[in-house]
């Protein structure tokens, strides 16, 4: 109780700090105010100079900067952007390497543990637990991003930006979650992930999926239930703001393989259209990158689905974007940020995927560094100095507030909820040692898994049998132990009070601004050209009069998350 009392006193004191030094528009998590109380005066001076620089750039270019965000799947830190590690892995990333040479390589970019929570965090500037978007969705999910979330597209639209989303959205299959209903002007997106590439006749024929495509299988004489298999799901949807969506291509392997090339075409066309109109734009391209069905043609020494997909679909396209921005004469007024959404699918991957741990232990789904510390780069010719290797901590939610600041849209960030993203404009423009966060909270689903503070990390979920006593060996010094294999106790006991206070402040602030429940509803409505089997998803699968309950009641029920999963992740 003592650490909660101390935290309450700290929060009370922070509420009385100098209003002039605090951004009234944004409510951050408690730790920000602890840092601001100590560094606010210095930051205010730095911000004055940054504002002047941004004003000069806008005057020179006639508009605030264009923003491009490219985020791909499941990559270990070091796999790309560090040629020696790429060489060891059997492939090259020449365009990402060029980004690193001409811009910034972030060594401590943190994400959420999986695809859906990570994408939610980027789009809303909020940890996924705050909106219950931590459950990774597959057909049929009946869940998605709440319409009340204020996305990056909505914030930037308020100040005149054109906005577009192309690629892997993976933020739900309910109508309100579609990106064209979340602020984007134009979209082509996948509501699910790459697993749909095998949920078809090709996948059934290859035994990549078992028992899904019934027409390919001998009749099952023991089958009683015809509602168990997902039917009528949609692989890709295109849409425009304020209009119904439209299913794009068929949900088969051929259709899946056409998505990324079409997104490439549309992304470049969107950039060119807005460059010609001299209108600032924000485009997010999040590639699907690879199918889970192996391609007989191999283009890398690795011969893996991951390496072949990354080099052809991601790295090559990043090079095209950089070159096209220069050809259009807008490179110096465009910030390009590229990154992975989380660590590698090191646990239970499909055959031949080729993802693996590198420097850090763990992967997708883990709160270990390998699950949440990813390759990330920023490029802005003339503004971001090239060849930088940045050691400051940055979190993917920080892109939300940083992009809003660069666009002059910060006043449109909502102030009725916690926004975890910190404005890191100083880090992007002034470089190493100019970051404004030194901690991250890492969630495993709805449960706090770990806390990072500087170079120390505490596993809140711990397999140490003494954890219940409050003296568990659950602290790690990351500079000595990148694998998080050697937990410490006695030589880190001086940190116990500080980490307890951090956790208490975090949880007390959540009491003031509670997490939202999951947003659930009928799947795949709002599609103008929906097939009959898709329309059937929002109807009862059997005659309601024959049942003593509503067969669609489950849609509104939030199934329990496994809060007792094995905490010894990454072994």
């Amino acid at each position: 109780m003592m650490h909660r009392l101390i935290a309450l006193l700290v929060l009370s004191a922070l509420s009385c700090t100098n209003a002039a030094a605090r951004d009234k528009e944004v409510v951050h998590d408690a730790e920000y105010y602890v840092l601001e109380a100590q560094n606010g005066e210095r930051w205010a001076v730095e911000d004055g100079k940054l504002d002047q620089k941004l004003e000069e750039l806008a005057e020179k270019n006639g508009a605030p900067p264009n923003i491009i965000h490219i985020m791909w799947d499941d990559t270990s830190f070091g796999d790309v952007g560090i040629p020696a590690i790429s060489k060891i892995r059997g492939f090259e990333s020449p365009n990402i390497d060029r980004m690193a040479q001409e811009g910034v390589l972030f060594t401590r970019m943190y994400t959420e543990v999986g695809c859906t929570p990570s994408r939610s965090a980027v789009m809303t500037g909020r940890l996924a637990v705050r909106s219950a978007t931590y459950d990774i969705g597959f057909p049929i999910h009946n869940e998605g991003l709440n319409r009340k979330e204020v996305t990056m597209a909505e914030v930037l639209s308020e100040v005149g930006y054109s906005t577009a989303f192309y690629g892997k959205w993976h933020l739900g299959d309910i109508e309100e979650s579609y990106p064209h209903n979340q602020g984007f002007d134009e979209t082509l997106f996948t509501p699910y992930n790459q697993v749909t590439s095998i949920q078809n006749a090709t996948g059934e024929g290859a035994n990549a999926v078992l028992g899904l495509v019934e027409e390919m299988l001998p009749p099952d004489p023991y089958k009683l239930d015809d509602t168990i298999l997902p039917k009528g799901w949609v692989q890709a949807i295109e849409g425009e703001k304020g209009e119904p969506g439209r299913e794009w291509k068929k949900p088969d392997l051929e259709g899946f393989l056409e998505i990324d090339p079409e997104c490439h075409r549309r992304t470049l066309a969107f950039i060119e259209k807005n460059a010609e109109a001299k209108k600032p734009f924000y485009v997010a391209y999040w590639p699907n990158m690879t199918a889970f069905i192996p391609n007989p043609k191999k283009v890398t020494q690795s011969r893996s689905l991951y390496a072949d997909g990354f080099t052809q679909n991601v790295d090559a396209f990043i090079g095209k974007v950089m070159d096209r921005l220069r050809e259009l004469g807008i490179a110096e007024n465009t910030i390009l940020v590229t990154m992975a959404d989380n660590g590698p699918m090191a646990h239970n991957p499909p055959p031949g995927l080729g993802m693996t741990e590198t420097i850090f232990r763990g992967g997708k789904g883990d709160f270990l560094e390998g699950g949440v510390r990813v390759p990330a780069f920023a490029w802005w010719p003339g503004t971001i100095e090239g060849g930088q290797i940045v050691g400051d901590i940055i979190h993917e939610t920080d892109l939300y507030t940083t992009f809003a600041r660069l666009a002059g849209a910060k006043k449109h960030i909502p102030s009725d909820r916690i926004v975890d993203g910190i404005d890191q404009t100083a880090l992007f423009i002034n470089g190493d040692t100019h970051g404004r966060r030194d901690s991250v909270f890492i969630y495993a689903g709805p449960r706090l898994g770990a806390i990072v503070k500087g170079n120390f990390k505490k596993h809140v979920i711990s397999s140490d049998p003494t954890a219940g006593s409050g003296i568990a060996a659950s602290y790690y010094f990351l500079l000595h132990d990148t694998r998080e294999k050697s937990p410490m106790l006695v030589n880190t006991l001086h940190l116990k009070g500080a980490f307890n206070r951090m956790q208490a402040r975090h949880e007390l602030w959540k009491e003031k601004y509670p997490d939202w429940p999951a947003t659930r509803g009928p799947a795949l409505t709002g599609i103008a050209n929906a097939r009959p089997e898709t329309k059937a998803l929002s109807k009862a699968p059997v005659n309601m009069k024959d049942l003593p309950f509503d067969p669609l009641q489950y849609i509104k029920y939030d199934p329990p998350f496994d809060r007792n999963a094995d905490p010894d992740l990454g072994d």
Side-chain angles (χ1 to χ4, degrees):
M1 289 298 295
M2 181 57 69
H3 68 268
R4 287 177 64 87
L5 178 59
I6 293 171
L8 278 169
L9 292 171
V10 170
L11 288 175
S12 177
L14 289 173
S15 68
C16 300
T17 54
N18 188 343
R22 182 185 301 176
D23 183 356
K24 296 179 182 178
E25 297 296 324
V26 182
V27 178
H28 291 301
D29 202 358
E31 289 313 296
Y32 172 78
Y33 301 110
V34 175
L35 299 186
E36 184 195 52
Q38 300 171 74
N39 300 279
E41 291 184 6
R42 177 171 58 85
W43 289 351
V45 172
E46 188 174 35
D47 281 340
K49 295 178 180 177
L50 288 169
D51 286 340
Q52 182 178 351
K53 184 176 181 65
L54 291 173
E55 288 173 9
E56 291 171 353
L57 286 170
E59 185 176 348
K60 172 186 173 184
N61 295 304
N66 308 305
I67 299 168
I68 303 174
H69 184 227
I70 298 177
M71 185 167 71
W72 62 90
D73 277 85
D74 304 8
T75 300
S76 301
F77 177 85
D79 263 12
V80 299
I82 302 177
I85 298 180
S86 300
K87 178 73 72 175
I88 291 169
R89 295 280 283 117
F91 63 97
E92 297 178 342
S93 57
N95 295 295
I96 286 286
D97 296 349
R98 176 157 60 109
M99 271 196 77
Q101 293 161 7
E102 298 178 4
V104 170
L105 184 159
F106 295 103
T107 64
R108 300 197 71 180
M109 171 65 87
Y110 283 90
T111 66
E112 298 264 21
V113 300
C115 303
T116 296
S118 189
R119 288 151 201 272
S120 174
V122 169
M123 207 40 69
T124 67
R126 288 154 45 82
L127 296 177
V129 71
R130 304 207 189 274
S131 56
T133 48
Y134 43 72
D135 191 10
I136 297 174
F138 302 92
I140 301 296
H141 193 44
N142 295 111
E143 196 169 304
L145 194 64
N146 193 301
R147 64 169 60 88
K148 294 180 182 177
E149 285 290 357
V150 180
T151 66
M152 194 179 298
E154 289 172 308
V155 170
L156 297 181
S157 293
E158 289 286 347
V159 292
Y161 273 65
S162 294
T163 58
F165 181 89
Y166 304 115
K168 179 183 168 183
W169 181 243
H170 206 185
L171 282 174
D173 57 8
I174 59 175
E175 187 175 345
E176 67 187 88
S177 72
Y178 301 163
H180 55 275
N181 294 330
Q182 291 282 352
F184 284 96
D185 296 327
E186 49 189 84
T187 65
L188 173 61
F189 69 98
T190 54
Y192 307 112
N193 69 354
Q194 293 85 345
V195 75
T196 64
S197 66
I198 59 173
Q199 293 186 336
N200 48 53
T202 305
E204 187 74 67
N207 277 357
V209 64
L210 298 175
L212 175 64
V213 186
E214 292 182 297
E215 57 268 29
M216 296 180 63
L217 308 172
D220 180 358
Y222 306 104
K223 178 182 175 182
L224 299 175
D225 187 356
D226 195 39
T227 69
I228 192 70
L229 296 178
K231 299 175 182 177
W233 56 270
V234 173
Q235 188 163 252
I237 302 170
E238 61 181 346
E240 297 178 0
K241 185 183 291 184
E243 300 291 335
R246 298 175 298 279
E247 182 173 17
W248 190 84
K249 301 292 183 179
K250 295 179 180 179
D252 54 24
L253 178 60
E254 291 73 20
F256 182 91
L257 294 175
E258 290 185 54
I259 296 170
D260 275 354
E262 179 65 13
C263 288
H264 293 175
R265 187 190 69 76
R266 293 193 187 198
T267 299
L268 290 174
F270 179 81
I271 291 170
E272 292 163 1
K273 175 179 67 176
N274 285 283
E276 183 178 353
K278 300 188 184 304
K279 186 172 184 181
F281 62 82
Y282 160 58
V283 57
Y285 168 51
W286 297 352
N288 283 275
M289 189 163 74
T290 187
F292 286 167
I293 293 287
N295 187 332
K297 182 180 179 181
K298 309 299 179 184
V299 298
T300 67
Q301 290 296 314
S302 171
R303 298 177 295 175
S304 69
L305 298 175
Y306 159 63
D308 283 6
F310 179 83
T311 55
Q312 294 179 95
N313 267 4
V314 182
D315 188 73
F317 183 67
I318 288 171
K320 289 181 181 178
V321 170
M322 295 167 69
D323 292 342
R324 192 70 186 116
L325 291 171
R326 283 201 163 108
E327 292 166 3
L328 293 168
I330 60 172
E332 292 192 358
N333 196 36
T334 303
I335 181 170
L336 169 65
V337 175
T338 67
M339 60 185 289
D341 64 348
N342 47 251
M345 192 175 181
H347 312 299
N348 309 306
L353 185 60
M355 293 177 179
T356 187
E357 302 172 6
T358 52
I359 299 170
F360 303 111
R361 183 165 70 102
K364 183 173 188 162
D366 295 344
F367 57 76
L368 302 171
E369 296 289 288
V372 295
R373 197 159 158 180
V374 301
F377 312 86
W379 181 82
W380 188 356
T383 298
I384 291 179
E385 182 181 343
Q388 296 184 70
I389 299 177
V390 166
D392 303 73
I393 292 177
I394 181 171
H395 191 270
E396 62 184 340
T397 54
D398 297 346
L399 298 178
Y400 181 87
T401 30
T402 303
F403 289 169
R405 167 84 177 279
L406 295 175
K410 205 167 180 182
K411 66 181 180 181
H412 297 291
I413 293 174
S415 57
D416 62 344
R417 65 201 70 180
I418 292 174
V419 173
D420 296 284
I422 303 301
D423 177 8
Q424 296 274 30
T425 302
L427 179 60
F428 277 85
I429 293 179
N430 293 339
D432 195 42
T433 74
H434 289 274
R436 296 191 180 180
R437 77 156 63 238
D438 67 355
S439 64
V440 291
F441 291 89
I442 304 169
Y443 276 81
R447 193 175 172 196
L448 183 61
I451 304 171
V452 175
K453 179 73 168 180
N455 289 312
F456 290 96
K457 184 172 184 176
K458 178 185 179 180
H459 288 188
V460 180
I461 298 175
S462 173
S463 58
D464 190 307
T466 66
S469 68
I471 55 168
S474 56
Y475 296 90
Y476 299 81
F477 184 52
L478 296 174
L479 296 181
H480 288 183
D481 185 13
T482 60
R483 306 291 294 169
E484 293 170 79
K485 286 292 233 178
S486 302
M488 299 183 289
L489 176 60
V490 174
N491 48 349
T492 55
L493 280 175
H494 61 284
L495 297 172
K496 178 181 176 182
F499 274 89
N500 282 346
R501 289 192 298 273
M502 287 178 63
Q503 184 173 348
R505 287 192 291 257
H506 176 71
E507 292 175 357
L508 286 165
W509 215 227
K510 288 178 73 172
E511 290 180 9
K512 183 174 177 64
Y513 296 94
D515 294 341
W516 299 0
T519 305
R520 301 180 60 80
L524 300 170
T525 59
I527 298 176
N529 61 343
R531 291 170 279 128
E533 55 268 38
T534 303
K535 293 179 180 179
L537 291 171
S538 56
K539 299 177 182 178
V542 293
N543 191 335
M544 295 178 65
K545 292 187 292 186
D546 295 337
L547 296 176
F549 58 86
D550 180 354
L552 294 180
Q553 188 176 6
Y554 76 93
I555 288 177
K556 293 295 184 181
Y557 177 68
D558 192 16
F561 208 86
D562 183 5
R563 293 176 178 270
N564 298 304
D566 179 7
D568 197 15
L569 302 171
D571 279 348

